[in-house]
Amino acid sequence: MSKLVICDHPLIQHKLTYIRNKDTKTKDFRELVDEVATLMAYEITRDLPLDTIKVQTPVAETEAKVISGRMIGLVPILRAGLGMVEGILKLVPAAKVGHIGLFRDHETLQPTEYYINLPTDAPNRQLIVIDPMLATGGSAIAAINALKKRECEHIKLMCLIAAPEGVKAVQEAHPDVDIYLAALDERLNEKGYIVPGLGDAGDRIFGTN
Ligand code: PRP
Ligand code: URA
């Protein structure tokens, strides 16, 4: 079974409180999502493999570490996942970025794919699927299905807030995908919104509705 990691660093939790607050305006919301994404990137990259190389300091030659292994690819789920991309790129600036466009039908809650564009070397990369919200899990599962259909196998999922229903659904559909969250909330309401959650992530990031 995959790992479920709750990133409980105090800075993440503090910022998440302001992200949740309904009175936080678009500009601050966007900045806070960006900052939390950077802090979560620190956690999700914690197990990157290291190689040892020799380096000459001004004083002596020594052995030192460099990151090795697969290059990283970020795959935001449009729209709301876009709000986390820049924050992660601050820590992994060489990452390539693919995009998967999905929207949830408001009645059925089923995701519909409307766009996909991945780096050509995506199958060789450690991919991180990004979406602030993991509600029913339908969008994340569809995004991961789309990646696996294109031979991508090394996939992690990063979300700000999840409902237990969404975590369970992703773990059942994709037991190989580790999930990183800032918070695991109580439940979904009858409209498929996470309770207490933060409302509609896309609308709050982009100032729509
Ligand atoms: C939201 C959110 C996720 C999805 C989560 O996107 O950003 O992608 O819902 O719900 P699920 O786990 O039940 O699938 P939405 O479909 O509202 O699109 P948007 O980002 O374009 O607003
Ligand atoms: N999508 C959102 O943006 N918010 C939720 O609470 C659930 C799905």
Side-chain angles (χ1 to χ4, degrees):
M1 178 59 81
S2 63
K3 266 196 300 188
L4 173 64
V5 179
I6 313 287
C7 302
D8 59 359
H9 191 287
L11 286 174
I12 295 178
Q13 296 305 313
H14 177 84
K15 290 174 193 294
L16 186 62
T17 300
Y18 291 91
I19 289 173
R20 287 186 189 277
N21 188 331
K22 69 175 177 44
D23 295 326
T24 298
K25 299 281 188 293
T26 303
K27 173 178 177 291
D28 291 334
F29 188 91
R30 232 180 245 154
E31 288 174 3
L32 286 159
V33 168
D34 177 80
E35 289 167 13
V36 170
T38 305
L39 294 165
M40 290 184 73
Y42 185 82
E43 293 290 342
I44 206 165
T45 51
R46 185 178 283 281
D47 58 4
L48 287 181
L50 292 170
D51 265 351
T52 304
I53 60 164
K54 286 200 184 348
V55 63
Q56 178 72 47
T57 80
V59 179
E61 187 179 85
T62 185
E63 293 197 328
K65 306 290 184 192
V66 287
I67 288 171
S68 67
R70 292 177 190 286
M71 305 288 282
I72 290 179
L74 308 182
V75 187
I77 300 179
L78 309 181
R79 292 175 301 166
L82 287 177
M84 297 172 73
V85 171
E86 289 300 321
I88 302 171
L89 286 176
K90 282 177 195 145
L91 282 198
V92 281
K96 289 189 180 176
V97 183
H99 296 87
I100 297 184
L102 293 170
F103 64 85
R104 269 198 334 173
D105 182 289
H106 283 290
E107 298 298 321
T108 65
L109 302 182
Q110 292 307 306
T112 302
E113 184 182 308
Y114 61 86
Y115 184 74
I116 181 154
N117 190 333
L118 301 175
T120 46
D121 63 353
N124 299 328
R125 290 184 174 256
Q126 170 63 59
L127 299 181
I128 305 176
V129 174
I130 309 162
D131 195 325
M133 309 308 278
L134 179 59
T136 64
S139 302
I141 291 169
I144 297 166
N145 284 342
L147 294 176
K148 288 187 173 174
K149 209 166 93 184
R150 291 164 178 80
E151 332 275 79
C152 301
E153 287 174 9
H154 307 278
I155 303 169
K156 295 183 179 190
L157 174 64
M158 185 200 279
C159 305
L160 293 186
I161 300 180
E165 295 90 328
V167 170
K168 183 165 179 282
V170 172
Q171 285 177 332
E172 282 172 7
H174 296 293
D176 56 314
V177 173
D178 292 341
I179 304 174
Y180 289 74
L181 307 174
L184 180 59
D185 275 9
E186 288 164 25
R187 62 185 169 86
L188 291 177
N189 69 14
E190 61 291 346
K191 290 185 175 154
Y193 275 81
I194 300 174
V195 181
L198 54 72
D200 188 306
D203 282 347
R204 295 197 65 191
I205 288 171
F206 294 106
T208 44
N209 200 10

